Amino acid sequence: MAKKAAPKSAAAAAGNCKYWLLKTEPGEWSWSDQARAPGGGVAPWDGVRNRQAVNGLRAMRVGDRCLFYHSGAGAASRRVVGVVEVAREWYEGEGEAASGGAVDVRAVGEFRRPVALGEIKKAAGGGRGEVEGMREFALLRQPRLSVMPVPAKVWDWICEMGGGFVQDGEDEDDS
């Protein structure tokens, strides 16, 4: 049986977790790249230049959860594909990231079913099925922003729509 919501980190269980969305071009850094990163899928999230997005990275704390969003050309490629967790808070760039700063994120799990941008837009539309907080969600209001906060009810809805996720070492058929 598929999990209906993303398992919570220690920070989330304690009520101290914030939720974020991180956008990436899959041709530059995909979910597969993140999941294959050394150290259990841990890699720096760097290369962010927009001041508002950088401020989001600076506000992240260890244990915060982030939706992993594939952006790109064509509506079919724009979708939430998984969840990562902040493993290291903001630090000044090292190596390739020396021109800026970064946070390290760890792959938590890939959604069983990616959640397309079109579905998220429909959930923001008027009517009885609207998800609370979706109309104000930065993904819809500021679509070019690469790092943004996610309201808790929007987070829960996206995780539910994604059918939960497969964690590292777990077969898709495992419950």
Side-chain angles (χ1 to χ4, degrees), residues 117-137 140 157:
L117 177 60
E119 292 177 80
I120 295 168
K121 286 180 176 181
K122 283 181 188 174
R128 297 169 21 146
E130 184 179 332
V131 175
E132 185 179 332
M134 191 68 83
R135 284 184 187 219
E136 295 77 32
F137 186 24
L140 304 178
W157 181 85

Side-chain angles (χ1 to χ4, degrees), residues 48-59 90 101 145-147:
V48 176
R49 302 284 178 257
N50 175 285
R51 180 181 301 267
Q52 188 176 358
V54 167
N55 287 341
L57 289 177
R58 287 179 184 268
W90 177 265
L145 194 60
S146 64
V147 176

Side-chain angles (χ1 to χ4, degrees), residues 100-112:
V103 298
D104 287 353
V105 294
R106 174 184 303 108
V108 174
E110 182 176 11
F111 278 135
R112 295 179 189 282

Side-chain angles (χ1 to χ4, degrees), residues 1-156:
M1 181 67 85
K3 295 175 188 161
K4 287 297 176 191
K8 294 187 177 189
S9 66
N16 300 327
C17 179
K18 291 185 180 164
Y19 300 114
W20 304 90
L21 182 139
L22 300 172
K23 284 185 178 180
T24 181
E25 293 278 345
E28 292 186 29
W29 187 256
S30 69
W31 174 260
S32 296
D33 296 324
Q34 183 72 45
R36 285 193 311 261
V42 177
W45 200 270
D46 57 11
V48 176
R49 302 284 178 257
N50 175 285
R51 180 181 301 267
Q52 188 176 358
V54 167
N55 287 341
L57 289 177
R58 287 179 184 268
M60 291 180 182
R61 298 293 170 253
V62 170
D64 283 359
R65 291 278 172 107
C66 310
L67 296 170
F68 195 99
Y69 182 90
H70 279 172
S71 58
S77 65
R78 296 183 201 128
R79 56 197 185 155
V80 180
V81 296
V83 173
V84 295
E85 181 175 82
V86 177
R88 181 180 175 194
E89 293 175 14
W90 177 265
Y91 58 93
E92 293 304 318
E94 303 165 352
E96 290 182 27
S99 63
V103 298
D104 287 353
V105 294
R106 174 184 303 108
V108 174
E110 182 176 11
F111 278 135
R112 295 179 189 282
R113 187 184 76 74
V115 181
L117 177 60
E119 292 177 80
I120 295 168
K121 286 180 176 181
K122 283 181 188 174
R128 297 169 21 146
E130 184 179 332
V131 175
E132 185 179 332
M134 191 68 83
R135 284 184 187 219
E136 295 77 32
F137 186 24
L139 181 63
L140 304 178
R141 289 187 3 248
Q142 296 176 282
R144 295 184 54 91
L145 194 60
S146 64
V147 176
M148 62 196 69
V150 178
K153 290 188 180 195
V154 172
W155 173 273
D156 290 343

